[in-house]
Amino acid sequence: MANKHLIPFIGKAKLKELGADNVDDWLDDRAEFLATRSLRDLLAILRRSIAHAQRRDKAARNVALLVTAPEGRPGRPSKALNLEQAKAVLTAALPSRLYAYLVLSLLSGVRTEEARPLTWDHVFLETTDGIPPHVAVWRSVRKHGETKTRKSRRTIALPKQVVDVLEEHMGWQKQERASRGVEWSPTGRVFTTRSGEPLDAANVRRDFKAIVKKAGLKPEWTSRELRHSFIYLLSDHGIPLGADRSLGRSQQPGDHRVYRKQLRPVITQGAEAMDDIFADEGDALLGVRESARLCMPDPILRGWGLAWMGHGLPAGCLRPEVRYPADVGRGG
């Protein structure tokens, strides 16, 4: 933020010549482009920078303390998928390599910047010593790999449907890695590009936009709103906001060191609720996914379902024992 909105405008100003009017003019100019929260963050950066200079006798006073941030542009309103919309998105994502990513985000509340750096050594898909399957959310793609806050470092029990999808995802990734050989990047990431490289925000935005369009929703939805949807679905299910620590809001610093003793009952609450919320859909979605896998002859296509992106399953692949979503079988 500072590189884009602070340094190019007042970064070259000499501190002894910088006045409160200069700071006011700068903030008023940025108010046409930024939300109020962003303006406050920018002003806080400037205040800390000048305070740092004061401690080294480079500035006599901190003029940024004399200024308040103006009102900026209205922030983008938060949105959340309702249950039917969430089901539509997951159904549309079935043939996509982003499917497991979306299932994890929507059903466990993991932030998008936490899902992208997730590695397999932080994913535990089996129950061990009474500890249910879980994921350790200790890193993000933020600077220095830290989560949004220290309280965001948490260990989340996984709904059964997420466990099933991640087990399948792991098997397909092993197939793809074996077919790529030395071309596969050894990052250990759960979610990768076709060459094993980490996903970046652009990868996710592009693929999610196509999935949302296929689901029949308006294109302004973003993957970040899957977390909002997770919170909404929990609330709609009768779990008050703040009661579930899987949100990463009420965790106390250091809890990641003793999560094995504290995993139940609080951190499992979201997982248990999501198993209830999506109880009627889990078998159907996984059944469609399995049918797609069995019908694809090429190892890579069998692993990621790329041949049927946007088309549904070929009629010859449908199995009578699986309850498919309405649009499956229309393609191919």
Side-chain angles (χ1 to χ4, degrees), residues 283-301:
D283 292 341
L285 295 178
L286 291 172
V288 172
R289 198 63 177 165
E290 176 66 10
S291 293
R293 184 181 69 82
L294 293 175
C295 287
M296 295 177 185
D298 179 82
I300 301 302
L301 297 182

Side-chain angles (χ1 to χ4, degrees), residues 13-18 49-62:
K14 294 182 178 180
L15 287 176
K16 64 181 180 180
E17 297 176 357
L18 184 67
S49 299
I50 298 177
H52 181 76
Q54 284 181 300
R55 289 193 292 270
R56 283 154 179 78
D57 297 325
K58 302 294 183 182
R61 63 172 183 163
N62 193 333

Side-chain angles (χ1 to χ4, degrees), residues 69-126:
E71 291 293 320
R73 296 181 60 181
R76 184 175 182 271
S78 297
K79 303 194 304 296
L81 299 167
N82 61 34
L83 183 56
E84 292 306 313
Q85 291 172 325
K87 292 176 180 178
V89 168
L90 292 183
T91 300
L94 281 167
S96 167
R97 68 186 299 119
L98 203 61
Y99 177 66
Y101 180 102
L102 300 186
V103 170
L104 175 67
S105 298
L106 181 61
L107 272 67
S108 69
V110 172
R111 295 181 177 93
T112 183
E113 69 266 22
E114 296 168 342
R116 296 204 306 274
L118 188 64
T119 54
W120 284 113
D121 59 349
H122 280 181
V123 178
F124 305 86
L125 299 179
E126 297 181 356

